[in-house]
Amino acid sequence: MKTQEIIRVTLQNEMDLILAHKRSMRLGELAGLSLSAQTTFATAVSEVARNTIDHGKNGCLVLSVTTGQKEKYIIARINDDEPQLQKYEGLEYAKRLVSKYNISTSGNETSIELYYYIPLSDKLDARRIDSWRLQFREEPALSPYEEIKRKNEQLQDLAQKLKESEQQYKTLTNALPLIIFTLSEAGNLVYANEWLRRFTGAGIAELNETRWRGVVHPEDYDSFALLINHNPPLGAATIKTQCRLRHRSEDEYYWHLASISPLRDEEGRLQYWIGYLVDINAQKMMETTLRNNEELKETQQQLREHQDALETNISNLNRSNRELQEFAYVASHDLQEPTRKISFYSDYLLNKYEGQLDPKGRDYLGHMQRAARRMRTLINDLLAFAQVEREGITFKPVNLNELVQQVVQGLELPIAEKHAAVEVADLPTIDADPGRMHQLFQNLLSNSLKYAREDLPPQVRVYAEVDGDQCTICVADNGIGFDEKYLPQMFALFQRLHSGKKYEGTGLGLAICQKIVAVHHGSIRAQSQVGEGATFILTLPLHQ
């Protein structure tokens, strides 16, 4: 009966027992056994392997498969250097679980073979068995312990077989699950194990002729070619690079770590280069996945930020639309026309019938005229507020020095009446809408004149400070000031801090200022104390 070995597991401790059980289950799965049959076979193996670990010496499990006969079995052979059969308590139970068993001794070694019948074994040929071996070798370790054990066993095998003949060296390199090769000083392949042909489908002669083109990914070829086309530095110990190699059957590229090291004689002369190619595709996929996860998190964060900004913009737009609708309704011609008529007829009555009215009637008409004027002022302010965004914004360079001087000239009469002094420092040129900027500074300077102290002539200063692409413009006065707790309502519509009997106004001036600054992508705030004046601070970009 011929057998083909698939994999070995040394039996030294409980961790090895777990490996023995899982490897037995895996072999049963590859052989096409049902889950219950896999479990039965693995349980039988575990029972005998446990006895070996508990009482034996130098135990080893060899999983194999029979070939060359009609009936085929998977075999678990447990070797033990302590031939004391009476200690194998688990053997009696294992006998009942398998198809057949065999016990043999040779010197101090005892071997127990457990056979399990493979029902569907028609396609069980050498190629299939080779693929099983390959799967066992390429499967990732089940635990850190197995990974360390696997590497330790490979290193032990390598250290032992490197001492043997060239034929033993070739056998070793063909058994390891990595591509091993040697290069001449000219960069030609001298030797390569079978894994190179199995993976790439190309032999030594073909690779030397093509210089690995068609096997190495085009994007990685230049870095890989440095290993084979040029003499590395004489002092180099190990040279490494990463590249993708094409798999012959899948026509896909897999990442490998390529490494070469010089082999020198006793006098230090280079004999040839020893190299290997290790499959690191799983590691690369993990790195890519982690990187993609980080990018996905960043994208999600950006989307959340954009969503928040979008919701804020929508909220501002809805508020603006509501305000515009209200203003359009209040400031319609239906409101302006009656106001004009009230003003016209009250003026007509005073001019034509003043002599026929008693003092009380003339006083009533005066109140009517003043109320009509206030109504017209309110309508005009409403229209001005609504038209800040309604009309198109035209940004162009505006010299604020010239613009503020024009505003001061326009306020010449109230400045003279109040004996005010307006000082304008050096102001920058910014991208702005000239008309709206004029209205902004006119409202701020008018407020400084309006809310002046009775015992002190108004002193108004306009100055600026530039920081990068932003400028801060201040309009400061020595007027009556205000309590900063009222700041939130100062820039709201129709909000006034002072009685209309003493200080005329509609409560829209600062609201208009705030809206003008907003359409220029800036901000406005104020600082003040009661009786010590106020400073309005504008922050505006130099360029739009």
Side-chain angles (χ1 to χ4, degrees):
M1 180 182 298
K2 296 182 179 179
T3 61
Q4 293 284 340
E5 180 179 325
I6 305 299
I7 190 171
R8 287 174 176 257
V9 178
T10 58
L11 301 175
Q12 298 175 343
N13 52 48
E14 289 294 323
M15 298 299 295
D16 293 330
L17 182 63
I18 295 173
L19 290 178
H21 185 275
K22 291 185 176 180
R23 293 310 182 200
S24 301
M25 287 283 292
R26 179 59 173 154
L27 180 58
E29 179 186 1
L30 293 175
L33 299 182
S34 65
L35 181 59
S36 60
Q38 297 171 30
T39 305
T40 300
F41 176 68
T43 301
V45 173
S46 298
E47 289 295 321
V48 179
R50 184 184 299 278
N51 288 332
T52 298
I53 292 173
D54 291 342
H55 308 294
K57 179 181 179 182
N58 297 326
C60 177
L61 166 66
V62 181
L63 294 175
S64 309
V65 62
T66 60
T67 59
Q69 59 182 17
K70 186 174 181 180
E71 291 185 352
K72 293 182 174 58
Y73 298 84
I74 54 175
I75 309 171
R77 186 176 73 251
I78 296 94
N79 298 328
D80 185 356
D81 284 354
E82 292 291 333
Q84 301 179 23
L85 297 182
Q86 65 274 18
K87 293 183 179 180
Y88 287 93
E89 297 88 358
L91 179 59
E92 293 301 321
Y93 179 60
K95 292 177 182 178
R96 300 193 296 270
L97 299 178
V98 297
S99 304
K100 58 181 182 177
Y101 69 95
N102 181 52
I103 302 175
S104 61
T105 59
S106 177
N108 291 331
E109 183 180 18
T110 300
S111 295
I112 299 177
E113 295 177 329
L114 303 176
Y115 294 76
Y116 203 96
Y117 175 71
I118 305 175
L120 302 175
S121 59
D122 298 340
K123 298 182 180 180
L124 186 57
D125 52 17
R127 183 177 179 183
R128 177 65 61 85
I129 294 172
D130 283 344
S131 71
W132 290 2
R133 292 195 187 98
L134 185 60
Q135 289 186 57
F136 273 106
R137 293 188 185 111
E138 293 183 342
E139 282 181 348
L142 300 174
S143 66
Y145 170 81
E146 185 188 8
E147 181 70 20
I148 297 172
K149 180 184 179 70
R150 181 185 296 177
K151 290 181 178 179
N152 185 52
E153 291 174 351
Q154 289 178 349
L155 289 174
Q156 290 177 353
D157 291 342
L158 182 60
Q160 177 64 27
K161 293 184 179 180
L162 283 177
K163 298 178 183 179
E164 299 177 0
S165 66
E166 182 179 355
Q167 184 58 42
Q168 290 173 317
Y169 169 76
K170 292 181 180 180
T171 302
L172 170 65
T173 57
N174 289 332
L176 291 175
L178 71 160
I179 299 171
I180 299 176
F181 58 91
T182 56
L183 295 174
S184 67
E185 291 187 56
N188 292 320
L189 277 172
V190 177
Y191 166 77
N193 65 351
E194 282 298 314
W195 284 100
L196 181 62
R197 180 181 290 276
R198 289 183 186 180
F199 191 90
T200 66
I204 293 177
E206 180 181 351
L207 290 172
N208 284 335
E209 181 180 355
T210 62
R211 308 299 289 175
W212 295 72
R213 293 186 184 276
V215 173
V216 179
H217 195 284
E219 295 179 2
D220 307 328
Y221 184 81
D222 289 342
S223 61
F224 179 82
L226 294 175
L227 300 180
I228 61 175
N229 291 342
H230 303 284
N231 289 329
L234 293 178
T238 301
I239 305 173
K240 296 182 179 181
T241 187
Q242 295 182 4
C243 61
R244 285 162 286 182
L245 300 182
R246 182 177 56 83
H247 193 281
R248 64 172 185 175
S249 60
E250 301 178 17
D251 201 24
E252 292 183 1
Y253 289 90
Y254 291 83
W255 279 102
H256 284 72
L257 173 64
S259 175
I260 62 171
S261 301
L263 181 64
R264 303 182 185 276
D265 59 17
E266 294 179 356
E267 297 179 2
R269 291 189 298 268
L270 179 66
Q271 293 183 314
Y272 49 84
W273 294 87
I274 299 176
Y276 63 84
L277 291 163
V278 181
D279 188 343
I280 58 170
N281 199 67
Q283 176 184 338
K284 280 288 187 180
M285 294 302 101
M286 178 67 71
E287 292 173 357
T288 302
T289 301
L290 292 175
R291 184 168 60 252
N292 290 341
N293 285 342
E294 289 299 322
E295 294 174 353
L296 178 60
K297 291 178 181 178
E298 292 176 1
T299 302
Q300 290 174 339
Q301 179 63 28
Q302 292 175 359
L303 287 175
R304 284 193 290 268
E305 293 174 357
H306 292 167
Q307 179 68 21
D308 293 340
L310 179 60
E311 291 175 357
T312 300
N313 291 338
I314 291 174
S315 177
N316 292 338
L317 180 61
N318 290 336
R319 185 183 69 251
S320 178
N321 287 337
R322 288 194 299 270
E323 292 170 352
L324 287 175
Q325 291 173 358
E326 294 172 1
F327 301 152
Y329 175 79
V330 174
S332 64
H333 289 290
D334 290 341
L335 185 59
Q336 294 187 55
E337 183 61 24
T339 305
R340 285 195 296 269
K341 288 184 177 180
I342 292 173
S343 297
F344 173 80
Y345 286 115
S346 61
D347 288 339
Y348 183 84
L349 283 173
L350 279 176
N351 292 333
K352 191 167 185 67
Y353 299 102
E354 183 179 5
Q356 302 178 25
L357 295 174
D358 58 13
K360 197 169 187 178
R362 288 193 296 271
D363 186 56
Y364 286 158
L365 279 176
H367 286 306
M368 184 186 300
Q369 286 181 315
R370 287 190 293 273
R373 284 196 296 270
R374 286 197 301 274
M375 177 63 75
R376 293 186 66 178
T377 301
L378 177 60
I379 292 172
N380 290 333
D381 286 348
L382 283 171
L383 286 173
F385 183 85
Q387 289 171 353
V388 169
E389 290 182 351
R390 179 178 296 177
E391 297 180 354
I393 305 296
T394 303
F395 292 114
K396 63 181 182 180
V398 175
N399 187 322
L400 293 182
N401 285 306
E402 297 178 358
L403 185 140
V404 174
Q405 290 296 343
Q406 293 173 5
V407 173
V408 172
Q409 291 176 6
L411 296 173
E412 185 176 357
L413 183 59
I415 289 175
E417 290 177 350
K418 295 196 174 187
H419 305 288
V422 179
E423 177 188 349
V424 182
D426 188 32
L427 302 178
T429 296
I430 67 172
D431 291 343
D433 183 284
R436 288 168 175 76
M437 278 291 112
H438 190 282
Q439 186 176 15
L440 170 65
F441 283 100
Q442 180 170 320
N443 286 0
L444 293 176
L445 292 175
S446 297
N447 271 3
S448 295
L449 297 173
K450 181 192 301 184
Y451 298 108
R453 289 166 54 176
E454 296 181 353
D455 60 339
L456 189 67
Q459 297 285 335
V460 184
R461 291 182 61 239
V462 184
Y463 56 95
E465 180 180 346
V466 177
D467 183 12
D469 195 43
Q470 297 282 329
C471 67
T472 301
I473 304 171
C474 299
V475 179
D477 61 54
N478 62 344
I480 61 175
F482 58 86
D483 192 330
E484 289 189 1
K485 70 180 181 180
Y486 296 113
L487 270 175
Q489 68 188 69
M490 284 178 55
F491 294 98
L493 293 174
F494 307 112
Q495 296 294 323
R496 307 189 66 216
L497 301 184
H498 306 284
S499 169
K501 294 181 180 180
K502 187 173 183 179
Y503 299 99
E504 294 184 357
T506 60
L508 286 171
L510 290 179
I512 294 174
C513 291
Q514 185 182 51
K515 199 163 189 179
I516 292 174
V517 171
V519 300
H520 284 77
H521 308 103
S523 63
I524 182 172
R525 55 192 176 91
Q527 296 176 347
S528 180
Q529 290 185 8
V530 176
E532 297 186 9
T535 301
F536 287 86
I537 304 168
L538 311 174
T539 302
L540 294 168
L542 295 178
H543 305 286
Q544 295 291 336

